[in-house]
């Protein structure tokens, strides 16, 4: 009878424990990604995933917040700045709450230490780029007349999420949950910040649109003179 080394047994136990955290098609999708890896796609995915890193998102949110503050668009600055910070804190809380293990170490192409659910890259990229897109729509008439440019935000978040599964950093359900939670966060923040109120400030988008929709009376009435007594 062959004796198995303690190190080998521990490694197999760890791997089986990691695999047990998969749900539904998670393992199938991960296996498919691993089987179809190429050097070119790996380089592309590693580049894409950096766009969802904490440092990158922090820089994007900070630059956009400062730009709105310089333009004295305080509501938009707070919307992006505080929204991004709150979203990041919510993501960390959810990771600690669920404590899900990441995919097996042999499948990972990057070093990681935090929990897996939800995907921080998927959730926070959806939040930050989504908040920026909403803020630009509120601030820029050009963006409102070229709405298609806003597709950049969800497409970027989708690409970042896919890169996380490809690199073995997350299960598919981690990423899908991150997208959904991020989208719900952006929708909620948008409703809270820009919902119609009884007294909109004159520089708000709603007020500007209301002013633009109001027909202007250009008729000039003749001056009233003394009554004709003839």
């Amino acid at each position: 009878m062959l004796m198995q080394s303690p190190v080998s047994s521990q490694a197999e136990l760890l791997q089986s424990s990691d695999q047990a955290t998969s749900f539904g098609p998670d393992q199938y999708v991960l296996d498919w990604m691993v089987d179809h890896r190429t050097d070119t796609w790996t380089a592309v995915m590693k580049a894409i995933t950096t766009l969802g890193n904490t440092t990158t998102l922090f820089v994007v949110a900070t630059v956009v917040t400062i730009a709105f503050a310089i333009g004295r668009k305080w509501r938009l600055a707070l919307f992006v700045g505080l929204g991004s910070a709150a979203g990041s804190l919510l993501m960390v809380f959810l990771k600690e709450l669920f404590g899900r293990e990441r995919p097996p170490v042999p499948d990972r192409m990057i070093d990681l230490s935090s929990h897996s659910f939800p995907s921080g890259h998927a959730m926070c990229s959806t939040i930050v780029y989504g908040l920026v897109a909403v803020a630009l729509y509120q601030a820029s008439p050009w963006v409102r007349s070229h709405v298609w440019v806003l597709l950049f935000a969800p497409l970027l978040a989708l690409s970042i999420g896919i890169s996380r599964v490809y690199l073995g950093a997350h299960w598919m359900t981690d990423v899908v949950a991150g997208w959904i939670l991020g989208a719900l966060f952006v929708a909620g923040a948008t409703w809270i910040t820009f919902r119609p109120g009884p007294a909109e400030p004159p520089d708000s988008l709603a007020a500007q649109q209301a002013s633009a929709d109001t027909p202007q009376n250009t008729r000039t009435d003749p001056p009233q003179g003394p009554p004709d007594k003839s």
Side-chain angles (χ1 to χ4, degrees), residues 224-230:
Q224 297 294 328
D228 187 2
K229 299 181 180 180
S230 60

Side-chain angles (χ1 to χ4, degrees), residues 2 52-53 60 69 98 112 128 132 164 168 172 189-190 194 212 214 216 218:
L2 296 176
N53 287 351
V60 170
F98 289 99
L112 300 159
V128 172
V132 170
R164 303 306 286 173
M172 180 196 71
T190 301
F194 303 108
T214 302
Q216 301 295 323
T218 57

Side-chain angles (χ1 to χ4, degrees), residues 132 150 166 191:
V132 170
L150 299 177
Y166 178 93
W191 183 82

